[in-house]
């Protein structure tokens, strides 16, 4: 369609070479004959001005140099959906008209179509298509009415990302001809969405997965459109400049996954607006700018009524700096998996293993942390260590081995809400455990050790730096993950140049490495 000017060009998306833009003005310019298009470029570096020509502003741009005037023959207004499908999947109308041999690719299968009589056969083969991708095919409109449903009405999954779609109405026109549509990706299309009430239709009645990344949709517009998504289960909304959330009333009630990554939310309290989605199991909040998490409806030791079904939470690449936010996650009744790396909190501990153990001890139901499984041995070691590390602080705050006199301060209970539960589980730390204990800041004196598996010669030796205060239980937890060992019982020993020909068994899970006089350069032997 390059060179043709559609009847309704204003607001349309266009392609000029490899650059995308939106038409903001159609008309003449003084001392310049003919029709001009005023366009706002997606990449403002491509522009020259803000829509002003010789002192008159013909259109507005977000960026002061994001606009240009171009001739219509420089703008590609795109193609209809079915033309893009035929081009992508190797069906071209002119080939049929010329009587030439043609082919259609269906997955890994190539079907030959020959001659002028093959039009009906082509259409029957297109009707076999279930999963269609026309990404970056310059799709801008639906085409003739009912043509899609007649030609390839069995489609269930469509990738329409990075095209020239300019409005949600166009998406609806396409989807209305695909009755069994389950997955739709229209990311990277800058579109207009309805911001007020729309008539609810059955166009998206079977839609389960919807990707709207980088479409400039607002949360208000999401809620307006969501009235037409009665069955949606996964919704991807990354990079849309969403800052404020509103409570979804009577919409998104079937949602299981929500991705709000790369939207700078006003604050962590925005999450309260979506906290009562009954089926939400996975929430992805990567790089959303949140600095804290708080569930004010419940006290420590009790579960929140917010996010009742949430199993998987990703809060990595944010601004969380206080342990209080990790403590709050213990309130979530269903949480099993957490991603939280790249937060300022991660810098509070020099040793990443110590940090991991603290998080595990603070969240009782967690099974996966930063994509790494938490095995029972690792959890036990983390909880025992936590109970010991903060034992002196517990005593100083009013803790006591005598249950009748055990009254730790409110400040201690707020900082360590699980400490009482850990004492019930393992018993209060004994006085002997706490004597001569190094402060937490000093417990990271590292030993450089070589890890070998003598019964598995194919397993290459690994060098690791471990704190000398690390318990054998925690070493085992580390080795399960490092060596990807299935859940079997590990047996550890070590050998040293000072003990030539001898192995010393590391037989007490609760003892630290320093108890066995292990030194730099020694070798830990692993068997299972």
């Amino acid at each position: 369609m390059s060179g043709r000017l559609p009847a309704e060009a204003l607001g349309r998306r266009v392609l000029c070479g490899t650059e995308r833009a939106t038409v903001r003005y159609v008309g003449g310019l003084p001392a310049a004959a003919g029709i001009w298009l005023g366009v706002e470029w997606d990449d403002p570096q491509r522009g020259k001005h803000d829509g002003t020509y010789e002192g008159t502003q013909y259109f507005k741009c977000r960026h002061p140099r994001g606009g240009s005037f171009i001739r219509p023959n420089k703008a590609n207004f795109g193609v209809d959906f079915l033309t893009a499908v035929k081009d992508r999947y190797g069906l071209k109308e002119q080939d049929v008209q010329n009587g030439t041999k043609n082919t259609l690719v269906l997955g890994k299968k190539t079907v030959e179509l020959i001659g002028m009589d093959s039009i009906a056969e082509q259409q029957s083969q297109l009707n076999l298509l279930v999963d269609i991708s026309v990404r970056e095919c310059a799709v801008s409109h639906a085409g003739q009415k009912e043509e899609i449903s007649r030609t390839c009405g069995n489609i269930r999954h469509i990738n329409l990302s990075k095209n020239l779609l300019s409005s949600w109405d166009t998406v609806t026109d396409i989807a209305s001809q695909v009755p069994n549509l389950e997955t739709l990706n229209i990311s990277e299309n800058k579109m207009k969405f309805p911001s007020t009430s729309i008539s609810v239709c059955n166009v998206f009645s079977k839609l389960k997965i919807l990707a709207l990344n980088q479409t400039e949709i607002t949360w208000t517009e999401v809620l307006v459109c969501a009235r037409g998504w009665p069955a949606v289960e996964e919704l991807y909304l990354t990079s849309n400049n969403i800052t404020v959330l509103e409570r979804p009333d009577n919409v998104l009630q079937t949602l299981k996954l929500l991705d709000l990554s790369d939207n700078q939310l006003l604050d962590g309290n925005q999450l309260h607006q979506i906290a009562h989605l009954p089926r939400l199991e996975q929430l992805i909040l990567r790089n959303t700018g949140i600095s804290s998490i708080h569930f004010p409806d419940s006290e420590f030791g009790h579960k929140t009524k917010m996010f009742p079904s949430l199993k998987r939470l990703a809060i990595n690449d944010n601004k969380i700096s206080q342990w209080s936010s990790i403590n709050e996650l213990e309130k979530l009744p269903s949480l099993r998996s957490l991603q939280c790396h790249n937060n300022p909190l991660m810098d509070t501990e020099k040793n990443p293993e110590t940090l991991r153990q603290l998080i595990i001890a603070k969240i009782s139901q967690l099974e996966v942390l930063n994509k790494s499984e938490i095995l029972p041995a690792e959890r036990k070691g983390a909880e025992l260590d936590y109970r010991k590390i903060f034992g002196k602080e517990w005593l100083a705050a009013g803790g006591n081995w005598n249950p009748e006199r055990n009254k730790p301060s409110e400040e201690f209970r707020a900082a360590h809400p699980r400490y009482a539960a850990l004492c019930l589980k393992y018993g209060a730390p004994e006085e002997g455990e706490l004597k001569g204990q190094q402060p937490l800041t000093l417990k990271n004196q590292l030993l450089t050790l070589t890890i070998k598996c003598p019964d598995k010669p194919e397993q290459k030796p690994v060098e690791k730096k471990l704190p000398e205060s690390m318990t054998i239980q925690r070493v085992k937890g580390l080795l399960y993950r490092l060596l990807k060992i299935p859940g079997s019982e590990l047996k550890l020993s070590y050998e040293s140049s000072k003990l030539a020909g001898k192995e010393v068994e590391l037989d007490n899970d609760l003892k630290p490495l320093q108890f066995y006089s292990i030194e730099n350069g020694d070798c830990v032997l692993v068997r299972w």
Side-chain angles (χ1 to χ4, degrees):
M1 290 183 67
S2 181
R4 293 185 182 181
L5 187 61
E8 297 180 1
L10 200 62
R12 289 280 296 270
R13 299 280 292 158
V14 293
L15 194 61
C16 302
T18 59
E19 299 289 339
R20 285 173 166 75
T22 303
V23 178
R24 301 297 187 197
Y25 171 78
V26 180
L29 294 174
I35 299 297
W36 290 84
L37 302 181
V39 298
E40 181 180 8
W41 300 100
D42 289 6
D43 178 8
Q45 301 301 318
R46 177 70 172 77
K48 297 179 179 179
H49 50 69
D50 64 351
T52 299
Y53 179 75
E54 292 187 352
T56 301
Q57 187 161 35
Y58 291 87
F59 62 95
K60 294 182 179 180
C61 292
R62 298 180 190 180
H63 191 277
R65 295 183 61 82
S68 295
F69 290 104
I70 63 172
R71 289 294 192 181
N73 63 357
K74 298 294 184 182
N76 178 2
F77 282 86
V79 300
D80 66 85
F81 176 79
L82 201 54
T83 296
V85 170
K86 290 177 179 179
D87 287 348
R88 172 57 62 90
Y89 291 91
L91 289 172
K92 294 185 179 178
E93 199 83 13
Q94 62 267 31
D95 291 338
V96 177
Q97 293 171 355
N98 294 334
T100 57
K101 184 168 71 172
N102 207 344
T103 61
L104 169 66
V105 179
L106 296 172
K108 296 181 179 179
K109 181 181 178 183
T110 300
V111 180
E112 282 195 1
L113 306 170
I114 303 174
M116 294 180 65
D117 296 331
S118 66
I119 295 176
E121 189 175 355
Q122 285 191 39
Q123 290 181 338
S124 68
Q125 295 296 336
L126 278 175
N127 262 317
L128 296 175
L129 290 171
V130 173
D131 192 334
I132 281 181
S133 175
V134 284
R135 175 178 169 82
E136 288 194 89
C137 289
V139 177
S140 61
H141 58 289
Q144 294 182 13
K145 194 173 183 179
E146 306 304 327
E147 189 178 11
I148 299 172
S149 56
R150 285 196 303 268
T151 309
C152 46
N154 288 316
I155 303 171
R156 293 180 183 272
H157 314 283
I158 300 178
N159 182 353
L160 266 165
S161 61
K162 207 170 185 180
N163 277 288
L164 299 178
L165 304 174
S166 57
S167 77
W168 180 250
D169 290 340
T170 302
V171 177
T172 302
D173 288 344
I174 295 171
S176 65
Q177 301 181 56
V178 187
N180 297 312
L181 186 61
E182 296 177 8
T183 305
L184 178 61
N185 183 356
I186 51 174
S187 301
E188 300 175 80
N189 285 285
K190 292 189 175 183
M191 295 189 294
K192 287 184 179 179
F193 293 89
S195 56
T196 57
S197 181
I198 60 172
S199 58
V200 178
C201 57
N202 295 323
V203 171
F204 301 102
S205 61
K206 296 182 180 179
L207 187 66
K208 293 182 179 180
I209 301 172
L210 177 58
L212 292 164
N213 306 321
Q214 298 181 54
T215 57
E216 299 190 345
I217 193 170
T218 67
W219 184 252
T220 299
E221 291 166 347
V222 169
L223 298 186
V224 169
C225 294
R227 295 179 60 209
W229 311 333
V232 71
E233 295 181 356
E234 298 183 16
L235 182 57
Y236 299 87
L237 298 169
T238 69
S239 303
N240 280 310
N241 296 319
I242 295 172
T243 58
V244 178
L245 303 178
E246 303 167 46
R247 182 163 178 161
D249 290 323
N250 302 317
V251 294
L252 303 179
Q253 300 302 295
T254 56
L255 200 62
K256 294 182 179 180
L257 181 153
L258 177 60
D259 189 351
L260 288 168
S261 298
D262 299 311
N263 292 288
Q264 295 303 298
L265 298 178
L266 189 62
D267 53 46
N269 291 333
Q270 295 302 313
L271 303 182
H272 299 165
Q273 300 296 327
I274 57 172
H276 298 284
L277 292 171
R279 300 184 185 179
L280 189 65
E281 296 180 0
Q282 185 170 359
L283 181 58
I284 306 171
L285 299 169
R286 181 181 56 81
N287 188 30
T288 52
I290 57 175
S291 58
S292 64
I293 296 174
H294 180 47
F295 305 116
D297 67 323
S298 63
E299 297 179 355
F300 290 115
H302 299 85
K303 296 299 182 182
T304 177
K305 292 182 180 179
M306 297 183 178
F307 297 106
S309 303
L310 191 65
K311 296 179 180 179
R312 297 178 291 280
L313 176 64
I315 51 173
N316 35 311
D317 301 302
N318 279 296
K319 299 176 182 178
I320 296 170
S321 59
Q322 301 296 322
W323 281 105
S324 57
S325 291
I326 302 298
N327 291 338
E328 287 287 322
L329 298 180
E330 167 65 7
K331 296 179 180 179
L332 291 170
S334 304
L335 187 65
R336 297 293 183 271
S337 175
L338 175 66
Q339 291 183 47
C340 60
H341 48 265
N342 294 339
N343 278 282
L345 177 66
M346 307 300 114
D347 297 329
T348 60
E349 283 293 329
K350 294 180 180 179
N351 189 326
E353 279 303 313
T354 299
L355 185 78
R356 178 180 171 88
Q357 303 306 311
L358 292 174
I359 296 172
I360 291 171
K362 283 178 174 288
I363 307 176
S364 60
Q365 299 177 102
L366 209 58
E367 296 174 355
V368 178
L369 177 57
N370 292 330
K371 298 184 178 181
S372 178
E373 184 182 3
I374 302 168
L375 296 169
E378 184 181 16
R379 171 162 292 284
K380 182 179 179 181
E383 293 178 341
L384 284 169
D385 265 12
Y386 190 94
R387 166 183 152 277
K388 178 180 176 181
I389 288 168
F390 296 102
K392 285 189 175 181
E393 190 177 330
W394 170 69
L395 288 173
N400 198 287
W401 291 282
N402 184 340
E404 294 180 0
R405 297 171 61 187
N406 180 31
K407 296 179 181 179
S409 67
E410 190 172 330
E411 289 79 9
F412 180 85
R413 286 185 284 119
H416 308 283
R418 279 208 75 214
Y419 199 86
L422 295 178
C423 287
L424 284 174
K425 186 175 181 179
Y426 300 107
E430 297 178 7
E431 191 172 3
E433 288 183 81
L434 305 181
K435 281 184 178 179
Q437 182 185 333
Q438 291 180 318
L440 188 58
T441 54
L442 299 178
K443 66 190 293 288
N444 293 324
Q445 296 183 19
L446 301 179
L447 298 171
T448 301
L449 303 175
T450 300
I451 312 295
K452 289 184 180 179
C453 305
D455 298 339
K456 305 283 183 179
E458 70 278 6
Q459 192 92 38
K460 294 182 179 179
V462 179
E463 189 175 276
K464 290 292 289 183
K465 291 185 177 181
L466 305 178
E468 61 181 12
S469 58
M470 194 175 196
T471 63
I472 303 304
Q473 187 85 44
R474 284 177 57 195
V475 173
K476 287 182 177 180
L478 168 67
L479 293 174
Y480 276 118
R481 298 194 312 279
L482 180 68
L483 304 175
K484 296 181 173 59
I485 301 170
S488 55
E489 188 64 32
L490 290 183
K491 295 181 179 179
L492 304 185
S493 59
Y494 85 96
E495 56 185 12
S496 171
S497 57
K498 295 181 179 180
L499 302 169
K502 291 186 178 180
E503 280 187 34
V504 178
E505 189 174 351
L506 306 176
D507 54 0
N508 190 330
D509 284 354
L510 301 182
K511 296 295 184 183
L513 290 170
Q514 61 192 8
F515 174 82
Y516 292 95
S517 302
I518 295 180
E519 298 179 354
N520 269 320
D522 288 351
C523 182
V524 174
L525 306 175
V526 186
R527 296 181 175 89
W528 64 92

